[in-house]
Amino acid sequence: MNETMTKIAAGLEKAFAARGFAEPSVEDLRNAAGVSLRTLYKYTPSRDQMVHVALNHRHLRYLDHIFTDLPTDHAAALNAIMDRVGTWMQHEASHGCLFHAAVAAAPDDADLRTLLEQHKSQVADRAVNATGLHGTQVDILLILEGLTQSWPLYRDAAVTSAKRLGALLQNNS
Amino acid sequence: MNETMTKIAAGLEKAFAARGFAEPSVEDLRNAAGVSLRTLYKYTPSRDQMVHVALNHRHLRYLDHIFTDLPTDHAAALNAIMDRVGTWMQHEASHGCLFHAAVAAAPDDADLRTLLEQHKSQVADRAVNATGLHGTQVDILLILEGLTQSWPLYRDAAVTSAKRLGALLQNNS
DNA sequence: GACGATGTAGAGTGATCCCTCTACCTACGC
DNA sequence: GCGTAGGTAGAGGGATCACTCTACATCGTC
């Protein structure tokens, strides 16, 4: 039961990340999930639900990748976060943030929008705590968003830039 | 002829901006363009072309909105740019950058991706020239991207944050 | 070894989609 | 007054889509 659900969620996440939210048909999603159509619809009774399940899975994996076992020193933690965003982009999200992509594909879906906001605010909270940049939640999220969006263009240079901007914040707050 | 083309491009841009790239059908796009289906297909022979035409129109309007008649003083220009991005988001792009949305909706479309890169690099070039932040093209684009992406969550606070980060750059370069 | 829960395989349905095509209208130059 | 260019209106085709349903396999439990 739960094992099948995890398998489905992981497969859906991978499919949406690779091909966007508009393109893959339910048949494609079924292939990616590696289950039958009946089972897929049993766990995710509509295509919209498949999107939600994929994003939830994504959220947990992202938090785990970026924020697990960070150094306690604030400056070192900031550098580590930026590096990890870089490796995340490289291996998982070469097309940009999956949450923004989902909302962009269905701008009228209010549930999706709240999912995006929850994801971003949790990321910002954790980043603030790890870097000691209290009172500058907006700034740190702005840098993270900027890194995520400009990484496809500039790669490592974007990571370096995000580190520099974050350090400027830490030295001027 | 050219008048009809402009009318079509403006209508398509508005439709895609309001409802994303996946949702609107060609029938919807026809309504937004305000022409007959035959005329629409005469100027844009496929739905993909409609996307391209809309993005080209968007690009020109964006450059015009952000970079026309900026103050010559670098610090003032930087503040003006951030303010204008804020008003642009408020009036035109409350769902985020249209180019990123287009690429997210069709990650396999190479033409779309180059269109995105050209758009971003032109924006970065102009921003560098206006703010005097030479040698920091990556940084300025990162801030602009961060502002665009985080504006839906933080509104004016995101603009303020972008101004602060930009000023930090100007004082430390 | 029967049974219920959980899975696979895949055909079928009704709706929707992109795009084409026929038929007709209007404005304008000569 | 007539031809031509450029437009409207909208029906229809062929393909694809999300989703349902029937029929069958597997496996742990009693």
Side-chain angles (χ1 to χ4, degrees):
Chain A
M1 166 132 79
N2 213 336
E3 181 183 343
T4 306
M5 185 63 192
T6 306
K7 178 181 171 188
I8 289 175
L12 292 177
E13 187 208 323
K14 187 172 289 188
F16 285 128
R19 307 187 44 212
F21 288 91
E23 203 178 298
S25 68
V26 172
E27 178 65 23
D28 296 332
L29 298 173
R30 186 198 66 80
N31 281 330
V35 298
S36 74
L37 206 55
R38 184 197 179 100
T39 304
L40 180 60
Y41 270 99
K42 179 183 169 188
Y43 287 91
T44 55
S46 72
R47 197 179 185 278
D48 285 349
Q49 297 259 3
M50 298 173 201
V51 171
H52 279 250
V53 163
L55 289 180
N56 274 324
H57 196 253
R58 181 72 153 197
H59 174 64
L60 296 177
R61 290 211 310 122
Y62 186 77
L63 290 185
D64 185 59
H65 180 91
I66 306 291
F67 297 109
T68 298
D69 293 332
L70 281 177
T72 53
D73 175 68
H74 286 159
L78 185 130
N79 283 336
I81 288 174
M82 301 307 173
D83 280 331
R84 290 184 187 184
V85 171
T87 60
W88 175 267
M89 298 300 297
Q90 189 176 351
H91 295 111
E92 304 275 357
S94 52
H95 298 343
C97 172
L98 205 61
F99 288 81
H100 279 297
V103 170
D108 298 333
D109 190 328
D111 291 345
L112 227 52
R113 207 173 285 267
T114 59
L115 216 59
L116 166 71
E117 290 176 12
Q118 286 171 3
H119 169 68
K120 293 301 178 186
S121 70
Q122 284 194 38
V123 168
D125 275 351
R126 296 226 192 176
V128 163
N129 286 334
T131 59
L133 285 168
H134 302 288
T136 61
Q137 193 186 44
V138 187
D139 305 71
I140 192 81
L141 189 67
L142 190 146
I143 295 174
L144 284 172
E145 293 280 20
L147 169 55
T148 303
Q149 288 297 105
S150 60
W151 186 90
L153 252 72
Y154 294 118
R155 304 277 167 149
D156 283 348
V159 174
T160 307
S161 171
K163 287 180 184 175
R164 174 164 53 246
L165 288 169
L168 281 178
L169 268 186
Q170 283 179 327
N171 297 331
N172 289 272
S173 64
Chain B
M1 166 132 78
N2 212 335
E3 182 182 343
T4 306
M5 185 63 192
T6 306
K7 178 182 170 186
I8 290 175
L12 291 177
E13 187 208 322
K14 187 173 288 188
F16 285 128
R19 307 187 44 212
F21 288 92
E23 203 177 298
S25 67
V26 172
E27 178 64 22
D28 297 331
L29 298 174
R30 187 198 65 80
N31 282 331
V35 297
S36 73
L37 204 56
R38 184 196 179 100
T39 304
L40 180 60
Y41 270 98
K42 178 183 169 187
Y43 287 91
T44 55
S46 74
R47 196 179 185 278
D48 285 348
Q49 297 259 4
M50 298 174 202
V51 171
H52 279 249
V53 163
L55 289 180
N56 273 323
H57 196 253
R58 182 73 152 196
H59 174 63
L60 297 177
R61 290 212 310 122
Y62 186 77
L63 290 185
D64 185 59
H65 180 92
I66 305 292
F67 296 110
T68 298
D69 292 332
L70 282 177
T72 54
D73 176 68
H74 286 158
L78 185 130
N79 283 336
I81 287 174
M82 301 307 174
D83 281 330
R84 290 184 188 183
V85 172
T87 61
W88 174 268
M89 298 300 296
Q90 189 176 349
H91 295 112
E92 304 275 357
S94 51
H95 297 344
C97 171
L98 205 60
F99 288 81
H100 279 297
V103 169
D108 297 333
D109 190 327
D111 292 344
L112 228 50
R113 207 174 285 266
T114 59
L115 216 59
L116 165 72
E117 289 176 13
Q118 286 171 2
H119 169 68
K120 293 300 179 188
S121 71
Q122 284 194 35
V123 168
D125 276 352
R126 295 227 192 177
V128 163
N129 286 335
T131 60
L133 284 167
H134 301 289
T136 60
Q137 193 186 44
V138 187
D139 305 71
I140 192 82
L141 189 67
L142 190 146
I143 295 175
L144 284 172
E145 292 280 18
L147 170 55
T148 303
Q149 288 297 105
S150 60
W151 186 89
L153 252 73
Y154 295 118
R155 304 276 166 148
D156 281 348
V159 174
T160 306
S161 171
K163 287 180 184 175
R164 174 165 52 247
L165 287 169
L168 281 178
L169 269 186
Q170 283 179 328
N171 298 332
N172 288 273
S173 64

